[in-house]
Amino acid sequence: MPELPDIEAYLAALRTRCLDQPLEQVRLRSFSLLRTFDPPLEAVHGRRLVELRRIGKRIVLGFEDDLWLVLHLMIAGRLRWKEAGAKVPGRIGLAAFDWPDGTVVLTEAGTKKRASLHVVQGAEALAEHDRGGAEPLELDADAFREVLRAENRTLKRALTDQHILAGIGNAFSDEILHAARLSPVRRTQQLADDELDRLHAATHEVLTTWRDRLVAEAVDEFPDEVTAFRPDFAVHGRYEQPCPVCGNPVQRIRYASNETNYCAGCQTEGRILADRSLSRLLKDDWPSTLEELEDG
């Protein structure tokens, strides 16, 4: 799923190409994408785009007359910039957003279509899409410790729960925990101040580095190929490949349909976290489905 750095890259790309332009029309191919009926989708047709923002992992487009489109890409939703009037692909295409200078095509791979689009009017209706998690890059060290210790969660779950922190998902949580040299199954209320400060610093470093890099690229070239598996990640998606820090093979935890990657040498003092032994330990604190991990 696109996470905070990816969403910020999409927003930068859209600002360069669409801000202050009228949205000529939205062509829906999959009617299950649209989750609202009042205001109707046609209400934004011809309206000028005046603002772009992010709410957690959601892309928010603001139009004249306080009208908003809220787009949640979920796991497999992606945006692509095409020539004006481009066709919506038959198998994976969900919608096309037509602007004067081009068309943004929304696609979603796979058979389960989870992406959603809401049309809302006014600040109160827009606020309903905020899951309440704190923006991680807006927290100082003290506030970060307070937010993480409010509930006794595993670090993996605390980082990815959109009611705790906004915008972090499976991929970047793995990278943050590796940078902080902390196990994904440590409990938030068991960590010392210096460990949480290390996690805070790693969160800022990883998210800002990737955000700035992806935003800079998106200004010149639309981010058509957003992926959770990047060759220069340290651990995420790199099972059995060498850790770039210590050289030990990257390990994984598989629980239901989810996978977490970590380095035993850097994060768990050399201990391998066996999947079956974690089932009882994690219980409800480990998401049982991809939707539970990435929704929100």
Side-chain angles (χ1 to χ4, degrees):
M1 169 184 280
E3 302 176 32
L4 185 155
D6 309 300
I7 298 300
E8 292 292 348
Y10 275 138
L11 292 174
L14 292 171
R15 285 191 188 99
T16 301
R17 295 160 178 82
C18 307
L19 191 62
D20 292 324
Q21 300 296 313
L23 176 59
E24 296 176 343
Q25 65 173 334
V26 180
R27 290 178 280 136
L28 281 182
R29 183 176 181 88
S30 172
F31 289 96
S32 65
L33 172 72
L34 185 62
R35 306 297 175 86
T36 54
F37 62 90
D38 185 24
L41 183 58
E42 292 76 19
V44 298
H45 290 178
R47 304 280 184 181
R48 184 169 57 91
L49 180 67
V50 296
E51 183 180 350
L52 285 147
R53 67 171 75 165
R54 177 182 57 81
I55 297 180
K57 300 176 189 175
R58 290 163 170 77
I59 294 172
V60 180
L61 297 85
F63 296 88
E64 298 168 302
D65 297 327
D66 211 12
L67 285 164
W68 304 86
L69 289 181
V70 183
L71 177 61
H72 196 340
L73 297 172
M74 289 300 290
I75 297 169
R78 298 293 185 270
L79 300 178
R80 292 172 171 81
W81 179 255
K82 302 293 184 181
E83 70 279 359
K87 275 187 68 174
V88 183
R91 185 174 60 85
I92 62 173
L94 300 182
F97 301 79
D98 292 323
W99 306 89
D101 298 327
T103 291
V104 176
V105 174
L106 170 61
T107 64
E108 187 174 20
T111 57
K112 294 182 179 179
K113 303 304 181 186
R114 300 185 175 97
S116 65
L117 179 67
H118 292 75
V119 186
V120 302
Q121 186 162 30
E124 185 176 344
L126 182 61
E128 293 177 2
H129 293 272
D130 188 342
R131 293 295 174 261
E135 283 294 332
L137 297 181
E138 296 176 4
L139 298 174
D140 62 20
D142 290 339
F144 185 84
R145 289 196 300 269
E146 183 177 350
V147 166
L148 266 289
R149 283 174 170 159
E151 299 181 44
N152 192 25
R153 313 301 299 272
T154 61
L155 286 179
K156 177 70 175 187
R157 191 62 175 137
L159 289 176
T160 58
D161 188 333
Q162 299 303 293
H163 298 88
I164 298 175
L165 293 173
I168 304 173
N170 198 31
F172 283 102
S173 61
D174 283 352
E175 294 300 292
I176 289 167
L177 289 169
H178 178 265
R181 307 186 308 281
L182 291 169
S183 166
V185 301
R186 289 283 302 279
R187 292 273 174 172
T188 53
Q189 293 180 1
Q190 295 174 344
L191 267 64
D193 283 356
D194 65 309
E195 291 176 308
L196 281 172
D197 289 347
R198 201 163 74 226
L199 182 62
H200 173 257
T203 301
H204 272 251
E205 178 185 1
V206 170
L207 293 180
T208 56
T209 297
W210 279 99
R211 179 200 62 190
D212 294 348
R213 171 180 168 178
L214 296 179
V215 164
E217 294 172 353
V219 172
D220 296 325
E221 185 174 349
F222 197 91
D224 287 330
E225 301 299 330
V226 171
T227 178
F229 304 100
R230 302 181 184 275
D232 40 0
F233 272 170
V235 290
H236 184 76
R238 292 176 52 83
Y239 175 57
E240 293 187 328
Q241 297 182 52
C243 167
V245 175
C246 70
N248 287 305
V250 171
Q251 303 298 321
R252 68 184 178 190
I253 302 168
R254 288 182 296 180
Y255 191 79
S257 56
N258 301 317
E259 180 173 315
T260 291
N261 296 123
Y262 68 98
C263 171
C266 294
Q267 296 173 252
T268 62
E269 299 179 335
R271 296 190 302 274
I272 303 297
L273 304 175
D275 293 350
R276 282 184 296 178
S277 66
L278 286 174
S279 297
R280 178 174 296 181
L281 169 66
L282 298 173
K283 295 183 180 178
D284 293 337
D285 200 56
W286 203 257
S288 59
T289 66
L290 283 173
E291 291 89 340
E292 187 180 341
L293 178 64
E294 297 290 15
D295 194 10

